[in-house]
Amino acid sequence: MSSDITGERLNSLFRPRSVALVGAANKSTFSALAYRNLVEFGFDAHTFLVNRRGAETHGRATVTSCRQIGEPVDVAYLMVPQAGMPEALDDAAAAGIRNAVVLSSGYGEAGDAGRAAQEQLVAHAKSLGIALLGPNMLGFANFVDRIPVCSIPGLPAVAGPVALLSQSGASSAAMLEFATMVNVGLSHMVTLGNEAMITAGHVLDFLVDDPHTRAVAIFMETVRDPEVFRRAARRAAEAGKAVVVLKAGSSELSARTAAAHTGALVGDDRVIDAVFAELGVIRVDSIEDMLITAGAAAALGRLQRPGIGIVSISGGACDIIADRAEDLGAALPELAEPTRATLAQIMPGYGTVQNPLDVTGAAIIDPSIFTRSIEALSKDPSIGVVGVVQGVPWIDEGQPYFGQMFIDAIGAGMSAAACPAAFINQVMQPITDHTRAIMAKGGVPYVIPGLRQAVVALRNVAWWSEATRSTAAPTPAAAVTVPPAGGRRGQWSEDAARRLLTDAGVPVVPGRLVTSAEGAVDAAAELGRPVALKIVSPEILHKSDIGGVRLDVAPDSPSVRAAYAAVTAAAATVPGARLEGVLVSPMRRGGVELLVGVVRDPQWGPMLAVAFGGIYVEILHDSVLSPLPVTPAQARGMLERLRGIALLQGARGGTPADLDAVAAAVARVGDLALALGDDLESLEINPLRVEGSSVEALDAVVTWTRKDQY
């Protein structure tokens, strides 16, 4: 029913005209909380209580079934046990209700039996034409239209610009409390539970079109419907709405193949990192960072430049921010000379003009130093956001705040700034009504609590701004020559893999396949230089492990004959191995060895991995992943994100690599993988040797999803 979960359908769910609480009971905490929320938000006149016995509940009369309501209802909030769920759905459908919110647990989260029960639940809901939110959750709240359909206490009375989605109902209560504490206002809160039908992607897609939502925070354990989520995330990027995700859990990629080292580089968690980066989704690792980042993104919007400028009256705070920026990869750029000249005229003679900028105690005497410094910093060509560090109280001591003059000066500077600006509190303390009154008086719209949290949030917003600046659709893969589909199966030898790469335009080291010692001698003599001999067999993929490789063999006849005899003898030790011959190729020395591989992720499709290491790839763990397709420019970006990029740039006297040539080869491998479609299980070049403008695949392995021979 995924295709039926449209924005219009979700509009009737999240903006219902009326709600039926099914299973309402005085002894049920879920029922009491849900009803109290509806009353407190003034929605009780549009709420109907359904109790099988018709007993008075929460001080109100009830009906025994939804059919007795007698007027249209948009949502059934089902607080009934799993055993009673089919009957409850039947009753809701008979009453014309098309949306159900299911609290019950014991479904997909409860083993094989639970998964079977969830499949039956979904099938039953589909047969009735009901869209189902849940199960195993606590409902949702629409704060904009003041419609809470949830069993969570402490809902905020005022709406804000951030939507919160959570697969965990229990955790959502803590998230709600923290959001309230740090003044991150919510437009919607949706607990998703098992996402049996309506997923995070569906809700995100709905929120992209909600004018009140400017950023979306999501806590998830898995992405249930990758394509729906991918489309929604791209729409959010186009709309300029940040998506901030806290995703828990990591494991090795289930599709890892024994034939390829690439599988060791690609795990579920690393795939998610790569996919989120490609989609412009901000990934965080704590509830605090998720909500503070989402709040900052909603307040600041997309930045025009990634640089962060800092103004503070505390030199210590400047030092802490500088340290955390270095740790966390936040950009605190050096200021341009015109900016430095302007600030020099503002600052006292004993001040230091730099970023972060300590305005010194002179700002206590002349608060306008704050105002003028913020404005000057905001005009620097490298600065996209200005963070202003200053304390703001949260306890009302019953008298005017002595530091209001500083808040006023900061607010004036933020209003005059040429780029967005954020007020930063030195510590993570609550934003109370007293705080908000002081902020409002000074014209300060938003406060980020805590120095480290501010660095994380501003770095994240800057990254998101750059990552989503261009929202063009991915460039289609280039056309490549591939073998007929019927032949893409079974086990392929290195020789077959080499021909596959060569036909696709991927550079491969020259080589000749021979079937005799005489042939090997002739091939070596023709090359006239030291050679490498490798056994070629579809059953022997890791040739070095059995002694099936001889390197740096002199091209004279005795040496080549001995090497040929050695590798063929090694092959004979592998039971059932089919010997196609021996590959003779010129010996290569020096250069930098890379791995370029593709593994098909069961959820997200083919993933491209680029890594350093050759035979040490699983030791060095220096790799970058990306979903396909990738352009040569994107492939170059992958190379530049490798920690060892200096090796390709000529470190320690090495020859600088032609990165454009390397990137072209990497992108071509990705194009080949896409052209092979679902037939391809994995494709790996290890190593891809790079030296200057020379780029060559020295060894390759390809495995197919169909293992039967043709």
Side-chain angles (χ1 to χ4, degrees):
M1 193 174 176
S2 177
S3 60
D4 297 329
I5 307 299
T6 63
E8 181 181 358
R9 187 61 176 273
L10 292 184
N11 190 67
S12 68
L13 170 63
F14 295 126
R15 298 189 181 102
R17 294 164 298 178
S18 55
V19 176
L21 301 186
V22 181
N26 289 320
K27 293 183 178 180
S28 168
T29 301
F30 297 119
S31 177
L33 285 172
Y35 184 67
R36 186 176 72 187
N37 285 335
L38 289 160
V39 170
E40 289 180 351
F41 276 65
F43 205 73
D44 49 319
H46 306 285
T47 301
F48 302 93
L49 305 183
V50 181
N51 178 286
R52 291 183 63 182
R53 297 190 305 274
E56 181 180 289
T57 302
H58 308 317
R60 280 186 51 174
T62 64
V63 294
T64 59
S65 73
C66 291
R67 285 169 288 185
Q68 290 183 354
I69 293 173
E71 59 181 272
V73 175
D74 289 325
V75 174
Y77 189 65
L78 303 182
M79 303 173 289
V80 300
Q82 186 182 115
M85 195 60 63
E87 181 183 347
L89 286 173
D90 288 339
D91 179 49
I97 301 175
R98 301 179 65 230
N99 302 295
V101 179
V102 180
L103 272 68
S104 300
S105 57
Y107 287 99
E109 80 284 2
D112 292 341
R115 285 188 286 272
Q118 183 163 301
E119 290 176 3
Q120 293 171 5
L121 174 69
V122 171
H124 193 53
K126 286 182 178 180
S127 71
L128 298 171
I130 289 178
L132 189 147
L133 182 64
N136 187 34
M137 42 81 82
L138 293 175
F140 70 88
N142 174 345
F143 299 111
V144 175
D145 299 306
R146 298 186 58 78
I147 309 173
V149 187
C150 67
S151 298
I152 299 173
L155 302 182
V158 179
V162 175
L164 171 62
L165 314 183
S166 174
Q167 285 180 346
S168 169
S171 295
S172 62
M175 296 174 192
L176 182 69
E177 289 180 1
F178 183 78
T180 301
M181 185 187 87
V182 297
N183 202 37
V184 175
L186 301 181
S187 61
H188 296 77
M189 179 182 66
V190 181
T191 67
L192 298 160
N194 295 356
E195 298 181 88
M197 187 179 294
I198 297 173
T199 68
H202 291 114
V203 182
L204 174 59
D205 194 56
F206 165 79
L207 293 167
V208 170
D209 296 321
D210 176 45
H212 303 282
T213 299
R214 296 200 293 273
V216 182
I218 308 175
F219 171 72
M220 59 170 55
E221 296 166 0
T222 189
V223 181
R224 304 282 185 195
D225 193 330
E227 283 310 308
V228 169
F229 184 86
R230 196 195 298 263
R231 288 195 299 269
R234 285 189 172 135
R235 289 192 64 228
E238 292 170 3
K241 297 187 178 186
V243 179
V244 187
V245 175
L246 169 58
K247 185 187 177 298
S250 63
S251 64
E252 278 202 1
L253 176 64
S254 61
R256 176 180 176 180
T257 62
H261 291 287
T262 309
L265 304 177
V266 182
D268 290 346
D269 209 49
R270 299 207 61 207
V271 168
I272 286 293
D273 278 343
V275 171
F276 282 4
E278 188 255 344
L279 295 174
V281 171
I282 302 169
R283 188 174 185 189
V284 295
D285 57 14
S286 72
I287 291 173
E288 294 86 351
D289 287 344
M290 176 182 71
L291 289 166
I292 292 173
T293 295
L300 300 171
R302 185 178 281 137
L303 308 179
Q304 293 303 308
R305 292 169 294 279
I308 301 168
I310 297 295
V311 175
S312 174
I313 201 170
S314 165
C318 289
D319 292 341
I320 292 171
I321 286 178
D323 290 344
R324 297 294 75 76
E326 182 174 340
D327 295 342
L328 299 166
L332 299 179
E334 292 188 11
L335 302 177
E337 186 54 40
T339 307
R340 296 173 62 86
T342 300
L343 288 171
Q345 295 178 353
I346 298 170
M347 292 282 290
Y350 54 84
T352 301
V353 175
Q354 62 184 13
N355 183 26
L357 179 68
D358 176 7
V359 295
T360 75
I364 296 176
I365 301 170
D366 180 8
S368 75
I369 292 177
F370 268 122
T371 306
R372 290 177 287 151
S373 296
I374 295 168
E375 186 174 3
L377 209 61
S378 74
K379 294 178 180 178
D380 188 273
S382 65
I383 300 297
V385 61
V386 177
V388 188
V389 182
Q390 178 66 21
V392 61
W394 61 284
I395 297 174
D396 187 354
E397 298 179 344
Q399 55 188 0
Y401 175 47
F402 74 91
Q404 185 69 55
M405 67 182 76
F406 307 122
I407 308 299
D408 294 347
I410 292 169
M414 296 172 76
S415 297
C419 69
F423 191 107
I424 300 172
N425 211 338
Q426 289 212 46
V427 295
M428 189 181 289
Q429 66 187 35
I431 304 298
T432 62
D433 289 341
H434 180 58
T435 310
R436 280 185 283 272
I438 290 171
M439 291 165 52
K441 184 177 180 181
V444 174
Y446 186 71
V447 172
I448 300 177
L451 298 180
R452 183 187 185 281
Q453 288 71 25
V455 173
V456 170
L458 295 180
R459 176 205 63 184
N460 289 343
V461 174
W463 174 85
W464 164 76
S465 300
E466 293 299 297
T468 62
R469 196 169 307 285
S470 173
T471 57
T475 302
V480 296
T481 300
V482 295
R488 303 199 294 253
R489 60 174 64 184
Q491 291 179 278
W492 278 25
S493 68
E494 180 187 352
D495 183 61
R498 284 167 48 87
R499 284 186 275 111
L500 175 72
L501 294 175
T502 300
D503 291 346
V506 178
V508 178
V509 67
R512 184 196 296 183
L513 182 67
V514 300
T515 56
S516 67
E518 288 298 329
V521 170
D522 290 344
E526 182 178 328
L527 289 170
R529 56 182 297 176
V531 294
L533 277 72
K534 295 188 286 185
I535 201 70
V536 177
S537 170
E539 286 74 38
I540 306 175
L541 299 182
H542 298 298
K543 297 172 282 292
S544 297
D545 294 348
I546 65 157
V549 178
R550 288 292 183 272
L551 302 177
D552 209 14
V553 178
D556 61 90
S557 178
S559 299
V560 174
R561 288 179 183 276
Y564 184 90
V567 297
T568 53
T573 66
V574 179
R578 293 168 293 159
L579 181 60
E580 293 183 0
V582 172
L583 183 69
V584 182
S585 57
M587 186 65 198
R588 299 299 198 213
R589 298 184 182 86
V592 176
E593 292 188 342
L594 298 176
L595 176 145
V596 181
V598 177
V599 169
R600 182 170 298 280
D601 181 84
Q603 282 193 306
W604 299 99
M607 301 295 301
L608 175 69
V610 179
F612 277 107
I615 63 173
Y616 302 112
V617 62
E618 294 186 33
I619 299 173
L620 298 180
H621 296 295
D622 185 6
S623 61
V624 176
L625 308 183
S626 175
L628 293 175
V630 298
T631 63
Q634 290 169 326
R636 175 162 179 152
M638 294 176 68
L639 294 168
E640 291 172 343
R641 293 200 300 276
L642 289 165
R643 295 192 305 276
I645 182 60
L647 295 174
L648 290 172
Q649 295 170 331
R652 302 181 68 86
T655 302
D658 182 343
L659 289 181
D660 288 336
V662 182
V666 171
R668 198 67 175 170
V669 172
D671 293 339
L672 172 59
L674 284 178
L676 294 170
D678 293 342
D679 292 338
L680 180 70
E681 181 181 59
S682 69
L683 170 63
E684 177 176 289
I685 298 172
N686 186 26
L688 181 74
R689 178 180 173 275
V690 179
E691 185 172 23
S693 60
S694 174
V695 181
E696 292 177 314
L698 301 189
D699 200 352
V701 174
V702 59
T703 64
W704 305 105
T705 54
R706 292 181 293 176
K707 304 301 182 184
D708 56 306
Q709 296 295 329
Y710 54 92

